Amino acid sequence: MTSLWSRVEPLLARVRKPARYIGCEDGAIEPRHGQGKVAWLLAYPDVYEVGLPNQGLQILYEILNERPDAVAERTYAPWVDLEALMRERGIPLFSVDAHRAAGDFDVIAFNLSAELVYTNVLNMLDLGGIPVHTARREPSDPVVVVGGHAAFNPEPLADFIDVAVLGEGEEVVGEINDVVRAWKASGRTSREGLWRELARIPGVYVPSLYDVVYEGERTVSCTPRFADVPATVTKRTISDLAQWDYPRRPLAPLTEVVHDRLAVEVFRGCTRGCRFCQAGMITRPVRERPAEQVRTMITRGLERTGYNEVSLTSLSTADFSGIEDVVSSIVPDPTACGAPTVSLPSLRVDAFTVGLAAKVASGRRSGLTFAPEAGTWRLRKVINKLITEADLYGAVESAFANGWTRTKLYFLTGLPTETDDDTRGIAELAAGCVAIGKKYTSRASVTVSLGGFVPKAHTPFQWFGQNGVDELQRKINLVRGAASRGVQVKWHDPRASLAEGLASRGDRRVGRVIERVWRDGGTFQEWSEFFVLDRWLDAAAAEGLPVEWFTTRHRTEVEILPWQHLSAGLHRDFLWDDWRASLDEHGLPDCRWTPCYDCGVCTGDGLEHVVASPIPPAGGSQGTGQDLARGGDVPVVVRL
Amino acid sequence: MKVRLAYSKVGKIRFLGHLDMAHLWERAFRKAKLGVAVSAGFTPRPKLSFGLALPTAGESLVEVLDVVLDPAPSAERDLDDLAPRLSAVMPAGVEVTGAWVAGPQSIQEDVLATTWVLAIDRAAHDTAARVAALVAAPEFWIERERKGERRRDDIRPGIFELRTDFDPSVLPADWRSEVSASALVEAVVTTSGRGVRPTELVDALFPGDEPWNVMSRVIRTHQWIERTDAPCAPFSVRARKELPHEQRIAVG
């Protein structure tokens, strides 16, 4: 393997933010390639600033490089300016660590955290000189792997990938490495031989080993081509987060990135059961990290990186049972400009959480963000985001009382059963928050951020027909029209929501649309300056695929969904029943602290929730009238 | 105690911008467990001040940084210790070359001129003749847009020295290939008032070409400070003294 640095270097003075391409970060590992090693290129299909902080990629980078039989480097999507220069000069996609060509690696593994990046995946393969179609790859070409949340419906990428990995990667990367190493040692015979071996690994899905039959628009069947290929592939889950205290050498970039602070993951999984939330559904069960390990990771991470800010990450950090313990143990370091700042992403909507945020916030208290998600209690029961108006107002009151002057409220619109009253309820809630804020400061302001709801696979809303562009825009306008003084309304482009919907719940045929959009120049589709809906609509029309069939149409119970052969561990019956319960406005409690309702994940996988305390944190578990008071005993595995 | 640090920035790290570099220094002091005084006020900022901004992709043998250390180094030994401690926590290519107790003047006030060495593609350009022509020219006007306003400036008075004939031994090892394959131009330019940037020099030498198509690398080799005995003047800078020889005050 040779370095492309001497060819890349002369281009860098001519592009924006060239530090994106030089590597050299704190925590970067000098790659040692060699005989008998599998070389992995871990790729993030968006720009460096977005991709570098990605924890999944950092964890795998370290785990692979610790193995004697593996070596891993990283790459990110080159920005359009550098890409143009690279194509002009025939320079292929390269790693940022040692500037090696993508085609020189054995495996290129993409982290997919969203769907609109799919065109970038194709673009990066092509820029790497790797045939974008799986069928056209030679045994000498890299094995193309995808993982991450969006890989739970990889069907739209089926024509372009060798392998999709479902679930958590810590253990499965090693198993894949073993298979690829053996295949290399045996002289890289056919790719199909490799696929067959890879398909034996639990959690590994090889799309080309399945035949999918369509009848008209419908999927009729999806069957393995060989007897030893599993009919259903189920996600991988690590049972104990305490055994995986990664990243141990967190990457601290030289140049500013989107989350420019140390991140320490405090737990994985979430059982609040918000029905719109794919992350919550596919990462069950809850597995907490012991508070002591969290503390150690914070101390070591801050020392290593020089950061003075740490983010305690999870899907709902205030639910971490060791949160007060951890937060109160972070003390000022006399040599380091005072105490490190702790940031709590994904705040829960209650006064306790705000109190916690007040405790850790230092310096200027500018803005605090809450996510009530829907404008009325009725609709919040539908989506199972069981926050009462009193919870929200209590949280907001506490925020303003603690010195914050700006509040941001996240809402989804286009939710199942949403009426105009529900939509206008968003403006009413915001007005209520402004009124509370005015009691404390004349500068009080409330920003409403509106996202168009896009249903995702493996959630109770996977059967729901999403709102079209016009309907979403109408609802956005409703909120804008009803917004009172002091309320600022921002919204996500409903046209992007439509394209996202197509990619999220598409089948294999949608891959041809993605390919057309890419060939037409549609890269960086998460970036509004590059997103053009007509590209997607024209591509779908050219392929004869009705966009509304994939997006705005409600699915039926008997229909075979394109991802039906893939499992996040959730019983289909559970999801369907939860979908029906949502339409009946029935909430569902958080099973961490209430009896199991058998969603399928724990029982199917022999897993258990791992929490540090049998007592739900202040704020209670989620449930309509079923909330346990603090101090109640509940059936969980307790780690002491 | 205000301490002045001199450091180099060469190689890959040259692609890191000035602002990112400032943030990197903040992290470096924390990694080296060196306390930095912070400003008073609602959002305390560490007391770090940087000299002339080094353009992204430009390299330097002599960058300067003032930092107020708190607690202050208690002995000269501690001061001497700063360079290795900080170099160890900065990325490859950044080397702290010296640490001194700084006077009351800010870096910006102290530095009047800077020397650049530009590497120009030898095959494609008749560099020596262009240099001679620019030296002979009484004026050179360039136009640029700043904050939406078009401005015309004569940058010729700000070019104090310009030559192709100089001793390249000062250049770092990383520059070996440039030394053998390029025409090298040494320029001493003003940094006070309307400063002259390396890309503007290239523009003046090779009008109409995209500067980074002509110049493969550029490195700052000196920063000049004012001496009472020899004020800076065009083409007559004398009694030059490098910062590292300046103000070596014993402490402790």
Side-chain angles (χ1 to χ4, degrees):
Chain A
M1 285 198 186
T2 51
S3 171
L4 292 168
W5 175 247
S6 62
R7 295 176 67 197
V8 172
E9 187 180 28
L11 308 181
L12 295 186
R14 300 162 56 190
V15 301
R16 269 173 286 169
K17 301 191 184 179
R20 289 164 169 167
Y21 312 108
I22 63 173
C24 305
E25 303 91 341
D26 260 328
I29 299 163
E30 195 189 329
R32 293 173 194 279
H33 293 264
Q35 281 274 310
K37 285 191 179 191
V38 176
W40 292 67
L41 181 59
L42 303 177
Y44 195 91
D46 206 327
V47 75
Y48 180 85
E49 297 92 291
V50 178
L52 183 116
N54 185 277
Q55 293 293 293
L57 199 148
Q58 291 197 22
I59 290 168
L60 299 185
Y61 176 65
E62 215 174 307
I63 288 177
L64 285 166
N65 277 314
E66 279 177 3
R67 289 178 67 100
D69 59 354
V71 56
E73 300 196 36
R74 297 162 293 130
T75 191
Y76 308 87
W79 192 243
V80 290
D81 54 355
L82 181 63
E83 187 201 333
L85 292 173
M86 288 164 67
R87 286 195 184 274
E88 197 182 292
R89 283 144 203 254
I91 299 173
L93 179 73
F94 54 84
S95 64
V96 297
D97 295 277
H99 300 92
R100 287 180 166 85
D104 288 351
F105 288 82
D106 300 312
V107 180
I108 175 165
F110 288 92
N111 180 311
L112 303 178
S113 29
E115 296 81 6
L116 286 181
V117 301
Y118 291 170
T119 58
N120 276 16
V121 172
L122 270 60
N123 196 46
M124 288 171 78
L125 289 173
D126 183 63
L127 190 59
I130 301 160
V132 295
H133 290 102
T134 315
R136 302 219 180 105
R137 284 184 209 128
E138 300 295 328
S140 57
D141 286 316
V143 181
V144 178
V145 179
V146 296
H149 289 185
F152 274 87
N153 177 24
E155 290 301 276
L157 292 176
D159 289 347
F160 315 115
I161 60 175
D162 291 284
V163 163
V165 177
L166 306 187
E168 295 163 1
E170 281 91 341
E171 292 167 339
V172 74
V173 281
E175 296 160 29
I176 295 172
N177 195 79
D178 288 340
V179 169
V180 176
R181 194 193 56 217
W183 180 67
K184 273 182 76 175
S186 72
R188 287 181 183 264
T189 47
S190 77
R191 288 182 89 87
E192 190 171 296
L194 174 68
W195 295 337
R196 296 280 291 275
E197 287 302 315
L198 287 169
R200 293 169 184 272
I201 303 172
V204 171
Y205 168 57
V206 182
S208 36
L209 298 181
Y210 295 77
D211 285 323
V212 182
V213 178
Y214 299 103
E215 208 174 270
E217 267 108 25
R218 290 180 190 283
T219 304
V220 180
S221 66
C222 175
T223 41
R225 285 168 44 211
F226 304 95
D228 60 342
V229 174
T232 302
V233 178
T234 304
K235 72 162 181 179
R236 294 295 292 266
T237 307
I238 57 168
S239 57
D240 188 0
L241 201 57
Q243 288 178 14
W244 300 94
D245 56 340
Y246 292 90
R248 293 172 181 164
R249 305 164 46 118
L251 285 167
L254 306 175
T255 182
E256 202 177 346
V257 296
V258 289
H259 301 293
D260 213 356
R261 58 188 76 86
L262 178 70
V264 174
E265 186 182 29
V266 296
F267 69 84
R268 212 171 273 183
C270 178
T271 42
R272 296 209 147 235
C274 302
R275 291 171 174 133
F276 55 88
C277 178
Q278 188 191 37
M281 291 290 162
I282 62 176
T283 61
R284 295 170 172 214
V286 171
R287 287 141 298 147
E288 291 196 346
R289 193 182 292 290
E292 187 52 44
Q293 191 178 57
V294 171
R295 276 194 294 268
T296 310
M297 288 176 74
I298 294 172
T299 313
R300 290 207 187 130
L302 291 176
E303 264 176 21
R304 284 196 70 92
T305 58
Y307 275 131
N308 67 342
E309 183 176 357
V310 55
S311 177
L312 302 178
T313 66
S314 73
L315 291 171
S316 177
T317 295
D319 289 344
F320 178 49
S321 48
I323 190 69
E324 288 183 277
D325 186 15
V326 166
V327 160
S328 58
S329 72
I330 298 174
V331 290
D333 175 348
T335 67
C337 307
T341 307
V342 181
S343 70
L344 305 169
S346 59
L347 284 182
R348 205 173 58 201
V349 186
D350 56 41
F352 164 78
T353 309
V354 177
L356 196 66
K359 207 163 161 183
V360 299
S362 66
R364 189 183 299 276
R365 290 180 182 186
S366 46
L368 212 52
T369 303
F370 300 105
E373 309 289 4
T376 57
W377 173 244
R378 186 201 73 76
L379 191 54
R380 289 193 295 274
K381 281 189 293 186
V382 169
I383 64 174
N384 208 41
K385 181 92 186 190
L386 300 169
I387 294 157
T388 63
E389 207 162 286
D391 289 333
L392 176 64
Y393 288 154
V396 169
E397 177 110 37
S398 175
F400 285 112
N402 275 293
W404 274 282
T405 56
R406 282 188 291 126
T407 305
K408 193 172 183 184
L409 303 174
Y410 276 129
F411 289 97
L412 289 169
T413 188
L415 289 163
T417 78
E418 182 174 335
T419 65
D420 286 359
D421 283 342
D422 295 318
T423 314
R424 278 189 294 261
I426 293 171
E428 284 159 29
L429 277 185
C433 294
V434 173
I436 292 168
K438 290 287 179 205
K439 292 194 292 179
Y440 294 91
T441 168
S442 58
R443 289 185 295 151
S445 83
V446 172
T447 302
V448 166
S449 175
L450 277 176
F453 173 57
V454 180
K456 295 286 161 84
H458 308 284
T459 68
F461 290 167
Q462 65 183 350
W463 288 280
F464 173 63
Q466 73 180 81
N467 285 185
V469 175
D470 293 344
E471 178 63 4
L472 281 180
Q473 191 60 57
R474 190 186 69 80
K475 285 175 174 157
I476 291 164
N477 293 344
L478 262 184
V479 176
R480 291 174 67 198
S484 52
R485 278 173 64 91
V487 177
Q488 250 205 321
V489 183
K490 292 180 176 168
W491 62 93
H492 187 68
D493 183 355
R495 290 168 295 191
S497 302
L498 192 75
E500 184 186 331
L502 178 64
S504 297
R505 290 191 296 169
D507 57 33
R508 294 186 172 194
R509 296 168 297 183
V510 170
R512 301 202 295 264
V513 177
I514 293 165
E515 185 178 347
R516 275 183 186 269
V517 171
W518 162 61
R519 289 202 189 278
D520 192 35
T523 58
F524 288 103
Q525 295 296 282
E526 293 253 297
W527 297 71
S528 55
E529 68 244 61
F530 296 116
F531 178 81
V532 181
L533 180 61
D534 281 347
R535 272 208 178 108
W536 291 81
L537 299 181
D538 293 350
E543 292 296 340
L545 294 175
V547 172
E548 47 304 338
W549 199 85
F550 290 98
T551 53
T552 55
R553 179 185 63 95
H554 296 303
R555 274 63 162 174
T556 61
E557 185 179 5
V558 293
E559 179 171 343
I560 293 174
L561 300 169
W563 52 91
Q564 198 138 304
H565 53 301
L566 306 176
S567 170
L570 302 151
H571 292 316
R572 186 182 157 97
D573 288 351
F574 161 74
L575 289 175
W576 179 261
D577 290 348
D578 205 37
W579 168 225
R580 303 314 297 176
S582 93
L583 297 178
D584 292 339
E585 300 167 19
H586 279 308
L588 191 67
D590 186 331
C591 62
R592 228 173 313 192
W593 299 290
T594 57
C596 174
Y597 45 71
D598 195 16
C599 69
V601 174
C602 295
T603 44
D605 224 4
L607 293 165
E608 283 159 326
H609 293 293
V610 179
V611 298
S613 160
I615 306 163
S621 79
Q622 174 141 321
T624 37
Q626 298 170 73
D627 262 10
L628 291 174
R630 271 173 82 83
D633 279 337
V634 285
V636 291
V637 174
V638 179
R639 182 208 307 284
L640 293 170
Chain B
M1 177 190 286
K2 189 163 100 174
V3 172
R4 184 161 293 182
L5 299 170
Y7 63 95
S8 59
K9 182 185 178 192
V10 295
K12 277 183 185 174
I13 196 73
R14 72 182 184 274
F15 295 111
L16 192 67
H18 187 68
L19 201 62
D20 283 332
M21 193 70 187
H23 290 143
L24 198 57
W25 275 112
E26 288 181 29
R27 272 172 36 204
F29 285 103
R30 286 195 291 263
K31 280 165 73 179
K33 297 198 180 302
L34 291 165
V36 175
V38 291
S39 63
F42 209 53
T43 42
R45 302 288 311 154
K47 288 192 174 176
L48 291 174
S49 66
F50 296 86
L52 295 174
L54 184 65
T56 305
E59 290 164 274
S60 179
L61 295 176
V62 54
E63 290 303 284
V64 198
L65 155 67
D66 282 353
V67 56
V68 180
L69 290 178
D70 179 22
S74 54
E76 185 161 17
R77 178 168 41 85
D78 293 347
L79 207 57
D80 289 342
D81 237 21
L82 287 178
R85 273 173 82 178
L86 287 165
S87 295
V89 293
M90 286 298 277
V94 177
E95 198 76 40
V96 178
T97 51
W100 299 266
V101 176
Q105 269 199 310
S106 74
I107 312 172
Q108 281 90 343
E109 288 167 331
D110 274 357
V111 177
L112 288 181
T114 188
T115 303
W116 294 103
V117 173
L118 291 62
I120 309 288
D121 183 347
R122 186 152 57 197
H125 301 283
D126 183 5
T127 305
R130 298 295 193 110
V131 166
L134 186 58
V135 168
E139 54 185 20
F140 189 85
W141 292 85
I142 65 164
E143 215 173 74
R144 68 168 174 177
E145 205 167 292
R146 211 173 174 186
K147 291 173 186 159
E149 238 176 81
R150 294 202 75 77
R151 275 186 53 180
R152 282 191 88 226
D153 295 298
D154 179 11
I155 60 165
R156 180 62 191 82
I159 304 171
F160 299 156
E161 299 181 21
L162 196 64
R163 61 173 85 85
T164 51
D165 168 29
F166 67 98
D167 175 15
S169 64
V170 62
L171 296 172
D174 198 45
W175 267 60
R176 204 166 296 132
S177 62
E178 265 68 25
V179 171
S180 61
S182 312
L184 299 178
V185 177
E186 187 185 63
V188 181
V189 297
T190 183
T191 58
S192 56
R194 171 69 168 86
V196 179
R197 305 171 194 178
T199 46
E200 291 171 339
L201 274 173
V202 177
D203 209 28
L205 288 167
F206 308 97
D209 285 337
E210 175 62 36
W212 283 107
N213 283 345
V214 176
M215 172 171 67
S216 61
R217 279 171 98 159
V218 58
I219 186 165
R220 191 204 303 281
T221 56
H222 301 84
Q223 298 200 30
W224 306 114
I225 58 164
E226 186 167 27
R227 311 288 302 172
T228 45
D229 56 332
C232 287
F235 289 100
S236 61
V237 180
R238 271 187 291 272
R240 307 191 294 214
K241 255 186 162 265
E242 290 177 38
L243 274 166
H245 301 286
E246 177 73 350
Q247 294 188 342
R248 178 130 191 146
I249 298 169
V251 289

